[in-house]
Structure formats: structure tokens, C-alpha cells
């Protein structure tokens, strides 16, 4: 192929693989580097189609690109990261873990005759292994960074949780010190007074005194029960148990529960419910929310007022609303009722008492079920309390 001994000697001496192909893919030159690097003697491969030794050259996508080198003279480059033209056929048993960057250039024939393809083969096996090792180290470093970030996130979450628990503890201590200690102390003083004056008091006076103490004790017990539930919610002890139930049936039952107390106060309690309003939520939590909202509506609505319990479907959700014509609230009162760390009790229109925990528990329970409490209220114009719950698609 190469008649000039000096040129042939030069090509054999370089540390780059040199191979020359004819247009039909036969090997016309195979330098010493190729022979030692790929363990294929020159006399074995000369005149043979290169695809017999390296099957990738027979693939159409590579054959087309080599043909374009002959047709247009533009070199073709094949990177070891994307191609493996000189990877040995595993069936031959030769080492397949060799990587080369390959450049194929057009080599013009003598006197304008048919040209050839000059293949320059550069071994990049070590470089490739180093690159893979670098990538492996990079991935490991990246994984370590991600793990560190996750650990830092968990630590921040733990710190936030600890802060919340400490705040909850402070709230509990404040409530215990003020809102529980006060009524209990009053009962103790009342009992001491009753015992000290027992002989001087008439039976009717004693009975009234005991009724007042019983009312105070019941109020304190109600506050303690609400406080314990709230504390369990805050600490994550209470987790929602999601089930499917009918919101319209639940609202109907609660309407019957409160109908008598509403009637006694001369308040109209109305239902406006859609049908088949199934929701996915914790039934007991939502029952507690509904009871609290209806009870509050009756409590803060004067005689002759109206309370509506509504439930309607909105796409994949069910919206529940308790609306009244009661006294309403100004923005300051509303913000205080929902503010963490504050326990605000407001007597009803007929001096009905509460624990101050109702709306806070509603908030907590709705958040546990992926919802939120929405409130619209104006002094003298009543209030509207609403929330939405996820609902399965209708068939």
C-alpha cells in the first residue's frame, strides 16, 4: 500500500494507531501500534474487511458515515464516550475493555485515483478510566453532599419541632397556671367558705352554692379535656384515620342533636345539604369540628336568629359551611381566637360559657385532614365558618 519505505517506517514508529481502508472496507495498512495494541498481526488483517475483526464497522450507521468521508472528504470523529468501533468482539475472547478516540480522514490516491480512508486511533483507555473514576468520586461527593443536606434538613426540622414542643409546653403551663388554677382555686375557697358557714346557711342557699361550684367544676373539666386533646394533637400522638363517609348524613345527625337546644333559644336551625356527599377524612375529627361550629353558632346568635348548616359539592371537594345571624366578630377578636398561645373565652348571647379551645381544635383537626378553616365575620352581621374536604369522583 505504502511504497515509500521512509513513510512506512514513520507510520509504524508513531504511538498512534494508523489504519488505511479501501472504499469497500478492506484493510490496506496496519501499523505496529495497531498490531501490538489490538493483538492482531498485520499479515492476518491485511486485505481483509475490517468488519470481520470489528463488527461495529459493519453497522449501517457507521458505514454511512465512512462513505460520506469518501464522498465529501469531511473527516468523521468517533468518541470513546459514545462509540466503540474498536471494542473487540466478545466472542473472540479478546479484552473488550479498550477505549479509543477515532478520526477518519479522506486520503487522496496517487494521480487523482481512488482515495482511501485514513484511520487515526488514539488510545484513551487510561483517560477513560480516570474520567470514570472522577465521575464516580463526583457522584460519591454529590451523594455525601445530598446526605449532609438531608441531615441538616432533618436537624432543622428537629429544631423546629423542638421549638414547637417547647412553645406548646409553655402554652400548657400558662393555661394550667391561669385558666385551670383559677377555677380550681375558686372551688377550693368556695368549699372552705361553705364548710366554715355551713351551719349558718339555709338549705336553698347551700344548694345554690353547690350548683355554682358544680358548674365551675364542669367548666374546668371541659377545659381540661379540650386541653388534653389539643396537647395530644400538638405532640403528634393523634393521627388522622382516613375513611369514606357521607357528609350529608353526618350533618343531618348533628342537626337533630342540636335542634332542641336551638329551639329552646328560639333559633331557627336549618339544613341545606346536597345528596351523596361522600368525603375522605377522619370521621371523628370532622364530627368534632362540625359540633363545635354548630354549638358556637347557637351560642353567639341571639333569640330569634337563624343558623344554617350547608354542604355542597365543588368538583373533587365538598364544602361545609355553618352560617349564623349572630353577633359576629371584629378582626381583632378573630385573630386573638386563632392566635397560638392565647386562650380567649367570650360569653354567649345568654352568658353561655366556653373553654376557648374550640376553634383551635377545629383548626388542628382540619389541618390534620388537609383542610383549613375559613372565617368571614362582621360585628352585628353574623359569621360564616367553612371548610373543604376531599371527595371521590362521582360515578
Amino acid at each position: 500500500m505504502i511504497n515509500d519505505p521512509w513513510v512506512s517506517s514513520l507510520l509504524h514508529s508513531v504511538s498512534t494507531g494508523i489504519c488505511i481502508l479501501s472504499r469497500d472496507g478492506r484493510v490496506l495498512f496496519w501499523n505496529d501500534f495497531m498490531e501490538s495494541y489490538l493483538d492482531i498481526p498485520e499479515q492476518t488483517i491485511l486485505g481483509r474487511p475490517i468488519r470481520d475483526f470489528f463488527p461495529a464497522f459493519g453497522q449501517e450507521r457507521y458505514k454511512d458515515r465512512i462513505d460520506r468521508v469518501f464522498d465529501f472528504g469531511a473527516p468523521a470523529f468517533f468518541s470513546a464516550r459514545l462509540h466503540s468501533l474498536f471494542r473487540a468482539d466478545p466472542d473472540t475472547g479478546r479484552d473488550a475493555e479498550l477505549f479509543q478516540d477515532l478520526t477518519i480522514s479522506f486520503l487522496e490516491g496517487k494521480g487523482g485515483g481512488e482515495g482511501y480512508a485514513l484511520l487515526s486511533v488514539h488510545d484513551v483507555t487510561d483517560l477513560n478510566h480516570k474520567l470514570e473514576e472522577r465521575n464516580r468520586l463526583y457522584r460519591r461527593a454529590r451523594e455525601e453532599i445530598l446526605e449532609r443536606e438531608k441531615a441538616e434538613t432533618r436537624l432543622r426540622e428537629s429544631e423546629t419541632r423542638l421549638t414547637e414542643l417547647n412553645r406548646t409546653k409553655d402554652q400548657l403551663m400558662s393555661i394550667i397556671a391561669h385558666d385551670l388554677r383559677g377555677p380550681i382555686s375558686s372551688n377550693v375557697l368556695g368549699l372552705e367558705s361553705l364548710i366554715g358557714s355551713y351551719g349558718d346557711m339555709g338549705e336553698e342557699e347551700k344548694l345554690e352554692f353547690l350548683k355554682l361550684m358544680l358548674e365551675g367544676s364542669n367548666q374546668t373539666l371541659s377545659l381540661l379535656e379540650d386541653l388534653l386533646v389539643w396537647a395530644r394533637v400538638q405532640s403528634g400522638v393523634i393521627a388522622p384515620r382516613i375513611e369514606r363517609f357521607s357528609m350529608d348524613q353526618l350533618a343531618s345527625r348533628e342537626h337533630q342533636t342540636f335542634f332542641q337546644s336551638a329551639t329552646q333559644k328560639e333559633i331557627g336551625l336549618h339544613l341545606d345539604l346536597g345528596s351523596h356527599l361522600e368525603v375522605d377524612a377522619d370521621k371523628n375529627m370532622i364530627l368534632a369540628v362540625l359540633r363545635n361550629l354548630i354549638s358556637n353558632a347557637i351560642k353567639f346568635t341571639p333569640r330569634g336568629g337563624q343558623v344554617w348548616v350547608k354542604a355542597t359539592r365543588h368538583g373533587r371537594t365538598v364544602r361545609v359551611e355553618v352560617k349564623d345571624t349572630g353577633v359576629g366578630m371584629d378582626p381583632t377578636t378573630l385573630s386573638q381566637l386563632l392566635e397560638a398561645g392565647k386562650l380567649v373565652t367570650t360569653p354567649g348571647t345568654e352568658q353561655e360559657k366556653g373553654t376557648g379551645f374550640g376553634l383551635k381544635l377545629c383548626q388542628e383537626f382540619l389541618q390534620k385532614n388537609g383542610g383549613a378553616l375559613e372565617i368571614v365575620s362582621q360585628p352585628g352581621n353574623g359569621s360564616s365558618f367553612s371548610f373543604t374536604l376531599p371527595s371521590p369522583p362521582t360515578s
Side-chain angles (χ1 to χ4, degrees):
M1 164 64 198
I2 298 179
N3 298 323
D4 189 324
W6 185 84
V7 173
S8 178
S9 176
L10 176 65
L11 295 178
H12 279 295
S13 65
V14 296
S15 58
T16 298
I18 300 294
C19 172
I20 298 176
L21 301 179
S22 63
R23 183 155 194 148
D24 60 5
R26 290 180 298 109
V27 179
L28 303 178
F29 183 81
W30 189 256
N31 76 343
D32 291 346
F33 180 90
M34 295 292 278
E35 182 173 315
S36 60
Y37 177 61
L38 297 172
D39 195 26
I40 300 177
E42 183 180 19
Q43 62 268 24
T44 300
I45 198 170
L46 284 181
R48 298 277 300 278
I50 195 169
R51 64 177 176 275
D52 289 354
F53 297 85
F54 303 100
F57 280 90
Q59 296 178 20
E60 198 66 30
R61 60 173 178 157
Y62 295 122
K63 186 176 180 300
D64 287 346
R65 292 185 66 180
I66 295 172
D67 286 344
R68 287 200 297 270
V69 171
F70 280 98
D71 293 338
F72 306 105
F77 176 75
F78 301 91
S79 168
R81 301 299 297 173
L82 301 174
H83 306 275
S84 55
L85 283 163
F86 276 104
R87 291 284 295 276
D89 185 347
D91 294 337
T92 66
R94 289 192 299 272
D95 182 12
E97 294 303 319
L98 296 176
F99 298 89
Q100 308 86 23
D101 284 344
L102 172 63
T103 303
I104 304 179
S105 307
F106 179 71
L107 183 63
E108 190 174 347
K110 279 189 176 182
E114 185 177 11
Y116 310 97
L118 174 66
L119 281 62
S120 302
V121 183
H122 301 275
D123 175 40
V124 292
T125 303
D126 289 343
L127 181 62
N128 193 68
H129 288 161
K130 289 177 181 178
L131 183 60
E132 289 178 346
E133 177 65 13
R134 188 194 69 177
N135 289 340
R136 186 181 65 81
L137 292 174
Y138 170 78
R139 287 192 297 271
R140 180 190 296 174
R142 181 61 183 161
E143 289 171 358
E144 290 176 354
I145 291 171
L146 290 175
E147 280 300 317
R148 191 178 301 118
E149 290 176 347
K150 289 179 181 178
E152 290 174 353
T153 299
R154 289 193 295 268
L155 180 59
R156 284 193 298 269
E157 290 173 349
S158 297
E159 291 175 348
T160 300
R161 185 63 182 155
L162 181 60
T163 300
E164 292 175 352
L165 289 174
N166 283 332
R167 187 182 65 198
T168 300
K169 179 200 69 176
D170 293 342
Q171 292 172 8
L172 291 174
M173 294 304 296
S174 174
I175 293 165
I176 291 170
H178 182 270
D179 294 276
L180 282 179
R181 184 179 178 183
I184 292 173
S185 298
S186 297
N187 275 1
V188 171
L189 292 174
L191 285 171
E192 289 176 349
S193 177
L194 177 62
I195 293 170
S197 307
Y198 193 81
D200 301 328
M201 299 174 67
E203 292 301 317
E204 187 174 337
E205 187 179 2
K206 292 175 185 176
L207 183 59
E208 285 299 317
F209 202 95
L210 289 172
K211 285 181 178 179
L212 288 174
M213 293 184 63
L214 178 60
E215 182 181 345
S217 297
N218 285 331
Q219 185 70 19
T220 303
L221 178 61
S222 178
L223 173 59
L224 180 59
E225 289 174 344
D226 283 349
L227 178 62
L228 290 174
V229 172
W230 178 76
R232 292 176 67 195
V233 171
Q234 290 288 317
S235 62
V237 174
I238 296 181
R241 189 178 65 182
I242 305 301
E243 60 180 306
R244 185 162 295 173
F245 62 91
S246 172
M247 192 67 229
D248 48 304
Q249 291 180 9
L250 187 70
S252 294
R253 287 200 300 269
E254 288 310 296
H255 173 267
Q256 295 174 4
T257 300
F258 284 96
F259 186 80
Q260 185 62 35
S261 60
T263 301
Q264 288 177 351
K265 200 175 176 182
E266 300 176 359
I267 292 173
L269 182 57
H270 311 283
L271 277 179
D272 183 5
L273 306 175
S275 59
H276 307 295
L277 301 179
E278 289 190 323
V279 296
D280 294 324
D282 186 303
K283 187 175 182 178
N284 289 328
M285 288 186 177
I286 302 307
L287 178 61
V289 171
L290 194 58
R291 283 181 175 174
N292 197 285
L293 295 183
I294 297 174
S295 175
N296 275 354
I298 295 172
K299 176 181 174 182
F300 292 104
T301 299
R303 289 182 178 274
Q306 308 295 324
V307 174
W308 292 270
V309 180
K310 301 180 180 181
T312 53
R313 177 179 295 279
H314 294 269
R316 294 292 298 273
T317 63
V318 169
R319 183 174 185 271
V320 181
E321 180 186 19
V322 177
K323 186 176 181 180
D324 62 60
T325 59
V327 296
M329 291 176 285
D330 58 45
T332 302
T333 302
L334 179 57
S335 64
Q336 289 177 343
L337 284 173
L338 298 178
E339 186 177 344
K342 285 193 176 182
L343 194 62
V344 180
T345 58
T346 305
T349 57
E350 297 190 0
Q351 300 306 305
E352 302 100 322
K353 294 182 179 180
T355 66
F357 259 101
L359 288 182
K360 287 183 173 62
L361 284 175
C362 288
Q363 268 191 318
E364 297 287 351
F365 284 159
L366 289 172
Q367 287 174 1
K368 291 284 185 180
N369 287 271
L373 187 62
E374 298 181 8
I375 306 174
V376 177
S377 184
Q378 288 184 342
N381 289 324
S383 302
S384 168
F385 295 81
S386 63
F387 58 90
T388 58
L389 296 172
S391 176
T394 55
S395 56

